[in-house]
Amino acid sequence: MLEAVAGWVPGEPVPNEALPAEWGVDDAWIRTRTGIAGRHRAAPGMSTGDIAYEAARLLVADPVRAGSVGTGSAEAGSARAGYARAADAVVLATATPDHLIPGTAPALAARLGLGTVPAFDIGAVCSGFVYGLAVCHGLVVSGICERVLLVGADVYSTWLDPRDRSSGVVFGDGAGAALIGAGRVGDPGELIAFDLGSDGTGYDLITVAGGGARSRSVAEPSAEGDEFFRMRGRAVYQHAVERMTGSCRSLLRTVGWDAAEVDHFVPHQANARILRAVAERVGIGARRCVTHLDRVGNTGAASIPLALADADARGRFRTGDRMLLTAFGGGLTWGTVALRWPATAAPATAAPATAAPATTTVETTTSGAVRPDNSRATALDGRNGS
């Protein structure tokens, strides 16, 4: 069962107008091709583990501070006051780990005060959150764990070639977290079914060529630029549309839903053209599509939980809504999940953000309340009695 979701992005927004002049692009050019108006960048010295922690602590917190979020650098929403759940495992979906070795999840678990719980990374790139939901569902259903913390987090800004405008305009940094627990069939929050796939013949379409065992296994030094993220955009677009469309259609048949019965469609926030193409082919109208990339760009494994947390904070979802989540990433990998939205707190009354000192702490009793300063976070409380 999906119990709760939260999201966090670092720093002030970086609007299209603030991108490097040497890229030769303007706001209209970027919006037309991607649908993106801005993105967030992690500050120097901030890593994937750091932003994963910021998202995770909105859901898994010291009971004394549960529901309270410091405003050291944030405009945010928080989980319901008094909300703190222990997790007995941590799964981190990321393509930008802090180190090749070790995984980032164990350090995240320790930082959250979760002790010696199992913790591991999964590397399905932008499909990571959907793959992670399947993994966490299996851990709970098998009885290995009672509640699992899933985090999708990526700091793509550290992997981008500063000369590559095609990736630079698209990617942002961010983290999203979710709690997966036990429950009953038919209850709100139920993870109903999954459709997962991969095609390794397309492994070279989305890559960071340098740094791994393959590049280290040869005597020749890595080629210039191999340390940076590369994506073959046109081929990726074609595969992404085809694979996500096929996966959605297959899963809809499995669960017995017609496309018209889906209340909300939440695709990986790659770019607006891909989102529109998949939705149209599946037969889901624009009003039922959840988008967030206009404000944060493509945040990799964080994109779906960020979109969920943002939409819920705006009061868009209702308990029991039928949701279809789909993603596509490097590998190639793709996946789709059908679920029912969990019971959530009543939407907060909209209020303008106001300035606050770095030491201020804000407590909220509903999801989606706003807290000020220069990072953003949203969280929902999805407790459903399971």
Side-chain angles (χ1 to χ4, degrees), residues 295-311:
R295 284 159 282 156
V296 298
N298 181 343
T299 54
S303 79
I304 288 178
L306 279 172
L308 290 172
D310 177 76

Side-chain angles (χ1 to χ4, degrees), residues 300-350:
S303 79
I304 288 178
L306 279 172
L308 290 172
D310 177 76
D312 187 77
R314 296 170 184 272
R316 183 165 179 176
F317 303 151
R318 297 293 180 265
T319 301
D321 279 354
R322 293 183 176 191
M323 316 282 290
L324 192 68
L325 283 51
T326 191
F328 175 88
L332 301 169
T333 60
W334 59 87
T336 305
V337 56
L339 61 90
R340 294 187 183 276
W341 192 245
T344 62
T349 301

Side-chain angles (χ1 to χ4, degrees), residues 5-86:
V5 176
W8 194 89
V9 293
E12 293 285 357
V14 179
N16 293 336
E17 294 84 356
L19 295 175
E22 55 266 29
W23 286 356
V25 297
D26 59 19
D27 179 62
W29 188 93
I30 297 170
R31 286 176 184 261
T32 300
R33 288 160 177 77
T34 69
I36 297 168
R39 73 287 297 146
H40 290 252
R41 299 280 194 244
M46 179 175 284
S47 71
T48 294
D50 296 325
I51 68 172
Y53 170 76
E54 295 294 344
R57 75 189 185 104
L58 296 171
L59 300 182
V60 179
D62 185 318
V64 175
R65 290 180 55 81
S68 303
V69 183
T71 61
S73 58
E75 173 188 307
S78 79
R80 186 182 301 178
Y83 179 76
R85 293 269 181 120

